[in-house]
């Protein structure tokens, strides 16, 4: 499956009253636009628009004959402006909030003449931005599938993002250090302990778990920009969809959590579900069982596929 980056040039004033020219980039997969139902997928923190195909970060979910079947649907994915995948970076990242990104995505849909979506699927930060979008336009989509995310950043997640912010402002290897800390939030003690069993690498003179963390820190540093990471962490720190607008969302909502998630705890997502269930009929809750924590939404594909195949 070959796709290319497309661009929509937007003039945008942030909620902080700053003016920007935004080259909003996106990719399309599957059926041609306006020939099939459109599914919008919002990427996670270090993700991008390349959601399907040989190097697609969600190719186990999106593709020909997959659960999100590109033989049946048009799949659209925007890059969060400033993620660097399209070489566009933002210096003054604190001028932007997830509400701004939601507004920009909505402007992108308008520019593409897409008035209604069949589904919005978003994991982690991407799901938080989707909550913000639907709080602003409650009739936008028929189906909403937020995965391992909530409509707001709660205190625990905010605290972890604050640690990330401190690490990202360090002078020596900031991105590597932040990524190592983040991996300990994306996974769980049980996940790491089961995998590495305190094994020691004699050649490198360190624990295999330490070597794994250093590898992930270096790997992200090679493919991701410090400016982009600062922006994404800032966005994750500030998800805050209008709670009073959530009950007006008309989409069939299918909230998916991970039972061991340390970033967006299942207990918080269940609490949101219980509140909305009192005011909405077309809402359901699903829970992935995994020792791997937050990253399970990128690992437990069989469970995720089984859930989503009964939704779309």
């Amino acid at each position: 499956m070959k796709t290319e980056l497309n661009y929509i040039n937007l003039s945008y004033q942030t909620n902080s009253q700053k003016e920007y020219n935004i080259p909003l980039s996106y990719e399309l997969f599957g059926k041609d636009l306006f020939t099939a139902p459109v599914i919008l997928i919002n990427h996670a923190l270090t993700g991008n628009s390349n959601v399907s195909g040989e190097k697609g970060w969600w190719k186990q979910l999106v593709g020909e004959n997959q659960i999100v079947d590109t033989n049946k649907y048009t799949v659209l994915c925007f890059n969060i402006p400033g993620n660097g995948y399209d070489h566009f970076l933002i210096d003054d990242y604190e001028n932007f909030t997830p509400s701004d990104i939601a507004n920009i995505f909505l402007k992108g849909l308008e520019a593409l003449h897409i008035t209604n979506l069949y589904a919005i699927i978003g994991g982690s930060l991407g799901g938080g931005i989707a909550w913000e979008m639907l709080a602003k336009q409650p009739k936008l989509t028929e189906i909403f599938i937020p995965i391992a995310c909530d409509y707001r950043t709660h205190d625990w997640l905010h605290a972890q993002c604050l640690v990330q912010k401190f690490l990202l402002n360090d002078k020596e290897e900031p991105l590597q250090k932040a990524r190592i800390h983040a991996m300990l939030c994306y996974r769980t003690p049980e996940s790491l302990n089961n995998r590495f069993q305190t094994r020691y690498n004699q050649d490198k003179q360190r624990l295999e778990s330490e070597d794994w963390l250093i590898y992930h820190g270096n790997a992200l540093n090679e493919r991701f920009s410090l400016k982009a990471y600062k922006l994404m962490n800032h966005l994750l720190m500030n998800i805050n969809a209008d709670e009073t607008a959530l009950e007006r969302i008309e989409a069939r909502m299918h909230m998916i959590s991970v039972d061991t998630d340390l970033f967006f705890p299942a207990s918080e997502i269940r609490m949101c579900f219980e509140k909305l269930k009192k005011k909405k009929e077309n809402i359901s809750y699903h829970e992935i069982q995994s020792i791997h924590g937050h990253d399970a939404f990128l690992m437990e594909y069989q469970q995720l596929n089984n859930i989503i195949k009964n939704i779309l």
Side-chain angles (χ1 to χ4, degrees):
M1 180 185 298
K2 293 184 179 180
T3 65
E4 59 183 19
L5 277 178
N6 302 282
Y7 291 86
I8 302 168
N9 293 311
L10 300 173
S11 296
Y12 179 72
Q13 184 181 70
T14 66
N15 294 326
S16 57
Q17 306 302 304
K18 304 295 183 180
E19 297 285 345
Y20 283 86
N21 291 316
I22 303 290
L24 177 62
S25 62
Y26 66 94
E27 290 182 66
L28 290 165
F29 304 87
K31 307 292 283 185
D32 290 340
L33 204 53
F34 308 119
T35 67
V38 179
I39 295 178
L40 173 67
I41 294 180
N42 287 354
H43 70 76
L45 190 142
T46 59
N48 51 55
S49 60
N50 191 21
V51 73
S52 185
E54 183 181 350
K55 296 183 179 180
W57 58 268
W58 232 3
K59 62 183 178 182
Q60 292 90 342
L61 190 78
V62 184
E64 293 184 1
N65 303 315
Q66 301 284 17
I67 294 302
V68 181
D69 191 348
T70 49
N71 292 318
K72 292 172 56 179
Y73 303 112
T74 303
V75 177
L76 166 66
C77 188
F78 292 116
N79 283 298
I80 294 176
N83 76 344
Y85 187 66
D86 52 9
H87 308 295
F88 176 67
L89 295 168
I90 295 171
D91 292 319
D92 302 319
Y93 64 90
E94 291 185 339
N95 289 336
F96 288 81
T97 65
S99 174
D100 287 306
I101 304 303
N103 286 335
I104 290 168
F105 282 9
L106 290 170
K107 283 180 172 289
L109 292 175
E110 183 180 351
L112 292 172
H113 307 290
I114 298 172
T115 55
N116 294 101
L117 296 165
Y118 177 60
I120 300 180
I121 305 173
S124 193
L125 173 60
I129 291 168
W131 276 110
E132 299 262 13
M133 293 174 71
L134 289 173
K136 297 171 188 295
Q137 288 195 16
K139 298 181 179 181
L140 181 61
T141 187
E142 292 181 36
I143 298 170
F144 176 37
I145 308 175
I147 305 170
C149 68
D150 206 350
Y151 72 95
R152 66 179 302 180
T153 302
H154 293 284
D155 296 287
W156 172 260
L157 175 54
H158 189 276
Q160 300 308 318
C161 292
L162 182 62
V163 175
Q164 290 275 290
K165 186 174 182 179
F166 292 152
L167 293 170
L168 289 167
N169 286 327
D170 203 352
K171 291 183 179 179
E172 293 186 14
E173 298 189 325
L175 204 152
Q176 292 96 319
K177 291 174 181 176
R179 183 63 166 182
I180 286 171
H181 167 256
M183 292 302 297
L184 299 178
C185 298
Y186 299 153
R187 303 296 174 90
T188 65
E190 186 180 5
S191 178
L192 261 68
N193 291 341
N194 281 8
R195 176 169 180 170
F196 295 107
Q197 302 286 318
T198 327
R199 288 188 298 271
Y200 194 78
N201 187 315
Q202 292 291 346
D203 293 337
K204 296 185 178 180
Q205 290 291 293
R206 60 193 181 206
L207 287 170
E208 288 186 9
S209 55
E210 180 181 347
D211 191 54
W212 179 79
L213 289 167
I214 291 170
Y215 165 80
H216 278 282
N218 290 334
L220 189 71
N221 186 57
E222 290 174 3
R223 74 171 180 87
F224 213 71
S225 159
L226 179 60
K227 286 182 181 179
Y229 200 135
K230 286 182 175 181
L231 167 65
M232 298 301 145
N233 183 64
H234 174 72
L235 295 176
L236 187 62
M237 198 174 188
N238 289 283
I239 300 166
N240 191 25
D242 181 2
E243 186 173 2
T244 63
L246 302 186
E247 63 188 74
R248 296 197 295 272
I249 296 174
E250 294 189 5
R252 289 185 279 124
M253 295 170 59
H254 301 270
M255 302 168 69
I256 303 174
S257 73
V258 180
D259 64 338
T260 55
D261 196 333
L262 299 177
F263 247 31
F264 288 96
S267 58
E268 297 286 356
I269 297 173
R270 278 197 303 270
M271 193 180 304
C272 177
F273 165 71
E274 293 294 342
K275 284 182 181 179
L276 288 175
K277 189 174 70 169
K278 295 175 182 177
K279 299 175 180 179
K280 287 177 60 65
E281 293 182 357
N282 53 350
I283 182 170
S284 63
Y285 173 82
H286 313 266
E287 195 166 292
I288 294 170
Q289 310 295 312
S290 176
I291 67 167
H292 297 302
H294 184 69
D295 265 2
F297 86 94
L298 297 170
M299 299 169 71
E300 303 284 3
Y301 287 111
Q302 191 58 57
Q303 289 189 60
L304 192 56
N305 284 344
N306 287 340
I307 292 169
I308 294 178
K309 75 178 181 182
N310 293 316
I311 296 172
L312 295 179

Short mmCIF file of all heavy atoms in Angstrom, two decimals, residues 163-165 167-168 173-183 220 229:
data_model
loop_
_atom_site.label_atom_id
_atom_site.label_comp_id
_atom_site.label_asym_id
_atom_site.label_seq_id
_atom_site.Cartn_x
_atom_site.Cartn_y
_atom_site.Cartn_z
N VAL A 163 7.38 15.40 35.18
CA VAL A 163 8.71 14.79 35.23
C VAL A 163 9.33 14.77 33.84
O VAL A 163 10.51 15.08 33.65
CB VAL A 163 8.64 13.35 35.82
CG1 VAL A 163 10.01 12.68 35.75
CG2 VAL A 163 8.13 13.39 37.26
N GLN A 164 8.52 14.41 32.83
CA GLN A 164 8.99 14.43 31.44
C GLN A 164 9.49 15.83 31.05
O GLN A 164 10.53 15.98 30.42
CB GLN A 164 7.86 14.02 30.51
CG GLN A 164 7.47 12.56 30.58
CD GLN A 164 8.35 11.70 29.69
OE1 GLN A 164 8.29 11.75 28.47
NE2 GLN A 164 9.19 10.90 30.32
N LYS A 165 8.74 16.84 31.45
CA LYS A 165 9.12 18.23 31.12
C LYS A 165 10.47 18.57 31.73
O LYS A 165 11.32 19.19 31.07
CB LYS A 165 8.04 19.18 31.63
CG LYS A 165 8.24 20.62 31.22
CD LYS A 165 7.05 21.46 31.66
CE LYS A 165 7.22 22.92 31.22
NZ LYS A 165 6.05 23.74 31.62
N LEU A 167 12.88 16.47 32.49
CA LEU A 167 13.91 15.71 31.79
C LEU A 167 14.18 16.30 30.40
O LEU A 167 15.32 16.34 29.95
CB LEU A 167 13.47 14.25 31.66
CG LEU A 167 13.41 13.46 32.98
CD1 LEU A 167 12.74 12.11 32.76
CD2 LEU A 167 14.79 13.28 33.59
N LEU A 168 13.13 16.75 29.73
CA LEU A 168 13.29 17.31 28.38
C LEU A 168 14.02 18.65 28.39
O LEU A 168 14.53 19.08 27.36
CB LEU A 168 11.91 17.46 27.72
CG LEU A 168 11.24 16.15 27.32
CD1 LEU A 168 9.78 16.38 26.97
CD2 LEU A 168 11.98 15.49 26.15
N GLU A 173 21.46 14.64 26.93
CA GLU A 173 20.60 13.55 26.46
C GLU A 173 19.16 13.68 26.98
O GLU A 173 18.61 12.73 27.56
CB GLU A 173 21.19 12.20 26.89
CG GLU A 173 22.55 11.92 26.28
CD GLU A 173 23.02 10.50 26.54
OE1 GLU A 173 22.72 9.98 27.64
OE2 GLU A 173 23.65 9.92 25.66
N PRO A 174 18.53 14.82 26.76
CA PRO A 174 17.18 15.03 27.32
C PRO A 174 16.14 14.07 26.75
O PRO A 174 15.31 13.54 27.50
CB PRO A 174 16.86 16.47 26.95
CG PRO A 174 17.75 16.77 25.77
CD PRO A 174 18.99 15.99 26.02
N LEU A 175 16.19 13.84 25.44
CA LEU A 175 15.17 13.00 24.83
C LEU A 175 15.34 11.54 25.27
O LEU A 175 14.35 10.86 25.56
CB LEU A 175 15.24 13.13 23.30
CG LEU A 175 13.95 12.79 22.54
CD1 LEU A 175 13.88 13.58 21.24
CD2 LEU A 175 13.88 11.31 22.23
N GLN A 176 16.58 11.09 25.34
CA GLN A 176 16.82 9.72 25.79
C GLN A 176 16.31 9.51 27.21
O GLN A 176 15.67 8.50 27.52
CB GLN A 176 18.32 9.38 25.72
CG GLN A 176 18.87 9.32 24.30
CD GLN A 176 19.52 10.62 23.87
OE1 GLN A 176 19.01 11.70 24.16
NE2 GLN A 176 20.64 10.52 23.18
N LYS A 177 16.63 10.46 28.09
CA LYS A 177 16.21 10.34 29.49
C LYS A 177 14.69 10.35 29.62
O LYS A 177 14.12 9.56 30.39
CB LYS A 177 16.81 11.48 30.32
CG LYS A 177 18.32 11.38 30.49
CD LYS A 177 18.87 12.61 31.20
CE LYS A 177 20.39 12.53 31.34
NZ LYS A 177 20.96 13.75 31.95
N ALA A 178 14.06 11.25 28.87
CA ALA A 178 12.59 11.33 28.94
C ALA A 178 11.96 10.05 28.42
O ALA A 178 10.97 9.55 28.99
CB ALA A 178 12.10 12.54 28.14
N ARG A 179 12.52 9.48 27.36
CA ARG A 179 11.96 8.26 26.80
C ARG A 179 12.10 7.08 27.77
O ARG A 179 11.19 6.26 27.90
CB ARG A 179 12.66 7.93 25.47
CG ARG A 179 12.10 6.71 24.76
CD ARG A 179 10.65 6.90 24.37
NE ARG A 179 10.23 5.88 23.41
CZ ARG A 179 9.02 5.82 22.87
NH1 ARG A 179 8.11 6.71 23.20
NH2 ARG A 179 8.72 4.89 21.98
N ILE A 180 13.25 7.01 28.45
CA ILE A 180 13.44 5.93 29.41
C ILE A 180 12.40 6.04 30.52
O ILE A 180 11.78 5.04 30.91
CB ILE A 180 14.88 5.98 29.98
CG1 ILE A 180 15.87 5.47 28.92
CG2 ILE A 180 14.99 5.14 31.25
CD1 ILE A 180 17.33 5.67 29.28
N HIS A 181 12.18 7.24 31.03
CA HIS A 181 11.15 7.41 32.06
C HIS A 181 9.77 7.06 31.50
O HIS A 181 8.98 6.38 32.16
CB HIS A 181 11.14 8.85 32.58
CG HIS A 181 9.93 9.20 33.38
ND1 HIS A 181 8.91 9.98 32.88
CD2 HIS A 181 9.55 8.84 34.63
CE1 HIS A 181 7.96 10.09 33.81
NE2 HIS A 181 8.33 9.43 34.88
N ALA A 182 9.49 7.49 30.28
CA ALA A 182 8.18 7.23 29.67
C ALA A 182 7.93 5.73 29.52
O ALA A 182 6.82 5.25 29.76
CB ALA A 182 8.07 7.92 28.32
N MET A 183 8.97 4.97 29.14
CA MET A 183 8.80 3.53 28.97
C MET A 183 8.36 2.86 30.28
O MET A 183 7.62 1.88 30.27
CB MET A 183 10.10 2.88 28.48
CG MET A 183 10.52 3.26 27.07
SD MET A 183 9.27 2.88 25.80
CE MET A 183 9.20 1.10 25.91
N LEU A 220 14.56 6.45 19.87
CA LEU A 220 13.67 7.59 19.68
C LEU A 220 14.46 8.84 19.35
O LEU A 220 14.05 9.66 18.51
CB LEU A 220 12.81 7.84 20.92
CG LEU A 220 11.72 8.88 20.69
CD1 LEU A 220 10.62 8.35 19.77
CD2 LEU A 220 11.09 9.35 22.00
N TYR A 229 8.91 16.33 20.78
CA TYR A 229 8.61 15.62 22.03
C TYR A 229 8.10 16.60 23.08
O TYR A 229 7.15 16.31 23.82
CB TYR A 229 9.87 14.90 22.53
CG TYR A 229 9.60 13.77 23.51
CD1 TYR A 229 10.25 12.55 23.38
CD2 TYR A 229 8.73 13.92 24.58
CE1 TYR A 229 10.03 11.51 24.28
CE2 TYR A 229 8.50 12.89 25.48
CZ TYR A 229 9.15 11.70 25.33
OH TYR A 229 8.93 10.68 26.22
#
